[in-house]
Amino acid sequence: MAQLFHLGLPFSVESHKISASSSKSLKLVPTISASNISFSTTRKGSANRLPKTQKLNLEVSPHRAVSAVRLMRIELGGAFADLLNEKGKGSGENEMAYVERTLGFRTRELNDQDLRLVTDIVGGTIRWRRYLDHLISSISHDKDISSMEPLLLQKVAKIGFYEIVKLDMPHYAVVDENVRLAKVALRPGAGNMVNGILRKLAVLKENESLPLPKVEGDDRAQARALATLHSHPVWMVRRWTKYLGQEEAIKLMMWNNNEPSFSLRANHARGFSRADLVAQLNELKVPHKLSSHLDEFVRIKTGLQIIIQAGLLRKGLCSVQDESAGLIVSVVDPQPGEIIIDCCAAPGGKTLYIASRLSGQGKVFAVDVNRGRLRILKETAKLHQVDDVVTTIHSDLRTLPDSKPLKCNKVLLDAPCSGLGVLSKRADLRWNRRLEDMEELKKLQDELLDAASKLVNPGGVLVYSTCSIDPEENDERVAAFLERHPDFHIDSVDRYVPVDFVTDRGFYFSNPVKHSLDGSFAARLIRDS
């Protein structure tokens, strides 16, 4: 489904239930040291209330404290903040408030360097979770690191391991500062444990003798070893080895573990061209590269925080959108004056791009079952000045054809999928997907395709797309659909996207390793007249 980054609007996350026992592990009693400075604050408009006493710790690294707490929120509450705004807020609340409630003290506010480190450490620690768990278990001789209590101790240890192994930070500084965090937030004994395992890790790293598995034995054993070395679930490794071969599967995992790059789409609907965007990036000194595939897009590797702070997203002048998603819109080929239905539209990245290409003439009906995400889409459409051509419809697509007599010549079904093509950006997704999900998703995709087909006029176009690289969600779903619906046929996408993205069957497919983009798929299907 479309992924839209918009500053100031909440991200949609699935909440996970927290058991009473899990909640209790968050009630930590901090050690009060000389570095914990108490001071009082009175919130504006609360003159009659007692002042709130806070403890400001100037010795603990702010980015480590924030990273540890955020990692706990991700694991316990399902939160994942892809972007931080200029005040260091995540998921709509001040990071320091989370830190204080969890650790019992505040650190100084995050500066730009802290923000970058939090993003790097949180994303990297999640991405390398299996690899880090293996190292911690091996070095601490604890085969079940979940027994480390409280949960915070796991996060502090993982942060230290990630910094030493993957960031190549000075070992003495990593040990010293993470030990300090463990002692202040938990107890002296926790600091001693962190000290012991981090020092041992540092020695092993310096001697190039990390305890890592060897890729040997039968297919299952090799898959387990590769899953640890490249930090992916075993079922994904086995699946990709089956479809791609081991060498390509390794390349794909290496891509997923690299720091993600992003693309920006200039919003023509607001009269903001790519040239205008380039001028802004030059002024902000953000390195960039023009997309060779789409006229509105610019690639960036670093500097996203700078762009956010400059307000370019908040003003609706541009949006963060991968070129792979933009190329799916190219397959739809929206033209001024057309009426287009975007099924499963929210949060609306493709909807907004389609709307901008209508040049104020035509209509996009954005259908989605999630009312909250539709509300975000509607607000963002207004911000991007395309709300005059976007109409939102809250409905389950599978019942929409019966409840609303809506038909048109172009329908986009950007189907819910595994997201296996966007794992470089969604560091958490690899751990939230199960093999069992694939069968459920395929059933849902079939049902949605059948429903979407009812919205297409004779001679009209149905575009089926995913952000997956899995053939069972892509080619096989189209083949199954065509068997059920012989009145549809494939229309090759070679007129709409560069030939390098066109498969033998005439589908659009972006390969992360080959194209350095998110993985995505689209089939253009025509209904017989």
Side-chain angles (χ1 to χ4, degrees):
M1 296 180 68
Q3 293 192 50
L4 174 68
F5 296 90
H6 168 54
L7 188 64
L9 298 177
F11 292 99
S12 175
V13 294
E14 295 182 5
S15 296
H16 297 280
K17 294 181 180 179
I18 304 175
S19 65
S21 59
S22 297
S23 300
K24 289 178 182 177
S25 69
L26 293 178
K27 297 176 181 178
L28 310 175
V29 180
T31 301
I32 308 300
S33 67
S35 60
N36 289 350
I37 305 171
S38 296
F39 64 99
S40 297
T41 61
T42 304
R43 295 185 182 277
K44 188 176 180 180
S46 58
N48 296 327
R49 300 176 187 173
L50 290 173
K52 182 179 179 181
T53 300
Q54 301 170 336
K55 299 180 184 69
L56 177 64
N57 188 301
L58 299 178
E59 292 184 1
V60 172
S61 303
H63 74 267
R64 288 187 175 89
V66 169
S67 296
V69 173
R70 182 171 289 197
L71 287 167
M72 294 175 69
R73 290 169 52 209
I74 290 167
E75 183 158 328
L76 291 179
F80 191 80
D82 293 279
L83 301 177
L84 293 173
N85 71 19
E86 68 275 12
K87 294 181 180 178
K89 293 180 180 179
S91 301
E93 291 196 40
N94 192 288
E95 293 288 354
M96 288 305 122
Y98 281 114
V99 171
E100 184 182 19
R101 286 200 297 272
T102 307
L103 307 184
F105 62 82
R106 289 190 169 221
T107 69
R108 63 169 172 76
E109 293 296 324
L110 302 175
N111 59 32
D112 290 345
Q113 183 180 7
D114 294 326
L115 291 176
R116 287 192 293 272
L117 283 169
V118 168
T119 301
D120 190 354
I121 289 173
V122 171
T125 303
I126 296 170
R127 189 175 287 113
W128 288 99
R129 188 180 86 178
R130 186 183 183 94
Y131 178 87
L132 297 174
D133 284 352
H134 170 81
L135 289 179
I136 293 172
S137 296
S138 300
I139 292 173
S140 66
H141 302 294
D142 183 353
K143 299 306 178 185
D144 181 11
I145 67 167
S146 63
S147 65
M148 281 188 178
E149 291 297 342
L151 179 62
L152 176 61
L153 183 54
Q154 295 181 41
K155 305 312 169 197
V156 175
K158 283 185 184 177
I159 289 170
F161 271 57
Y162 177 72
E163 290 177 324
I164 289 174
V165 175
K166 293 298 180 181
L167 294 187
D168 288 325
M169 288 185 170
H171 298 171
Y172 67 89
V174 173
V175 174
D176 181 61
E177 296 199 25
N178 282 291
V179 167
R180 185 180 301 131
L181 174 58
K183 285 183 175 180
V184 174
L186 295 167
R187 58 191 183 280
N192 294 337
M193 177 181 288
V194 171
N195 180 63
I197 60 175
L198 287 184
R199 286 184 179 279
K200 188 172 182 179
L201 173 70
V203 171
L204 292 171
K205 177 70 162 49
E206 289 173 357
N207 295 335
E208 299 183 355
S209 56
L210 292 175
L212 297 175
K214 294 181 179 180
V215 183
E216 57 188 13
D218 61 18
D219 292 345
R220 288 178 178 271
Q222 290 188 40
R224 286 195 297 271
L226 288 171
T228 296
L229 291 171
H230 298 283
S231 198
H232 280 70
V234 175
W235 74 265
M236 285 187 190
V237 178
R238 298 195 69 192
R239 197 173 184 87
W240 292 337
T241 301
K242 170 186 173 183
Y243 285 120
L244 305 173
Q246 189 177 98
E247 183 178 348
E248 290 302 312
I250 291 172
K251 289 179 182 178
L252 178 59
M253 289 187 285
M254 291 174 67
W255 164 264
N256 291 340
N257 287 332
N258 285 333
E259 284 300 308
S261 58
F262 296 92
S263 294
L264 302 174
R265 177 177 66 82
N267 182 15
H268 284 190
R270 293 206 60 160
F272 192 73
S273 68
R274 182 166 73 172
D276 295 327
L277 178 57
V278 167
Q280 289 284 327
L281 295 177
N282 286 334
E283 186 175 330
L284 294 170
K285 298 181 179 179
V286 174
H288 57 275
K289 179 182 178 182
L290 299 182
S291 166
S292 57
H293 311 305
L294 295 161
D295 292 340
E296 300 97 330
F297 284 71
V298 173
R299 294 186 184 188
I300 61 170
K301 189 70 176 178
T302 61
L304 189 55
Q305 288 295 335
I306 296 173
I307 293 164
I308 293 170
Q309 292 173 13
L312 299 184
L313 304 183
R314 186 174 61 247
K315 296 172 185 175
L317 299 176
C318 65
S319 57
V320 180
Q321 187 169 36
D322 197 79
E323 290 167 77
S324 62
L327 287 165
I328 289 174
V329 173
S330 294
V331 172
V332 177
D333 189 34
Q335 299 294 324
E338 291 183 331
I339 297 175
I340 300 172
I341 301 174
D342 185 0
C343 308
C344 306
K350 296 181 184 69
T351 306
L352 298 176
Y353 188 23
I354 290 171
S356 72
R357 289 178 60 162
L358 294 181
S359 302
Q361 305 171 50
K363 181 69 68 175
V364 183
F365 289 98
V367 181
D368 202 273
V369 71
N370 189 308
R371 191 183 299 275
R373 286 158 64 92
L374 271 182
R375 186 166 54 250
I376 295 173
L377 193 161
K378 198 169 185 177
E379 292 175 14
T380 313
K382 187 174 183 179
L383 177 70
H384 281 232
Q385 295 185 357
V386 293
D387 52 312
D388 56 333
V389 298
V390 174
T391 298
T392 59
I393 299 175
H394 176 240
S395 175
D396 186 326
L397 177 66
R398 292 168 292 184
T399 60
L400 177 67
D402 299 324
S403 61
K404 292 183 181 293
L406 186 64
K407 282 198 172 187
C408 69
N409 288 335
K410 285 186 178 176
V411 174
L412 169 63
L413 171 59
D414 187 38
C417 67
S418 64
L420 295 183
V422 297
L423 296 184
S424 68
K425 290 186 175 70
R426 288 289 310 276
D428 61 326
L429 189 58
R430 69 183 72 176
W431 309 119
N432 295 334
R433 281 283 177 253
R434 304 169 305 154
L435 180 59
E436 295 77 10
D437 296 337
M438 302 299 288
E439 292 304 316
E440 296 176 10
L441 284 166
K442 288 191 298 183
K443 181 176 182 293
L444 175 60
Q445 289 155 2
D446 287 343
E447 292 173 353
L448 293 172
L449 263 170
D450 290 342
S453 69
K454 297 177 183 179
L455 306 178
V456 183
N457 284 327
V461 179
L462 170 61
V463 174
Y464 170 72
S465 67
T466 73
C467 57
S468 175
I469 57 173
D470 195 286
E472 293 187 20
E473 294 186 274
N474 297 336
D475 306 60
E476 292 187 20
R477 298 280 56 75
V478 174
F481 171 79
L482 292 175
E483 285 187 12
R484 298 192 305 274
H485 298 271
D487 55 329
F488 280 82
H489 65 271
I490 298 169
D491 180 30
S492 177
V493 302
D494 56 5
R495 292 175 293 165
Y496 307 102
V497 297
V499 66
D500 197 39
F501 293 93
V502 183
T503 71
D504 293 340
R505 296 197 63 193
F507 302 143
Y508 157 77
F509 182 69
S510 59
N511 182 317
V513 175
K514 179 180 179 181
H515 300 116
S516 297
L517 301 176
D518 285 349
S520 62
F521 169 89
R524 186 178 166 95
L525 308 171
I526 305 292
R527 186 169 197 170
D528 296 338
S529 300

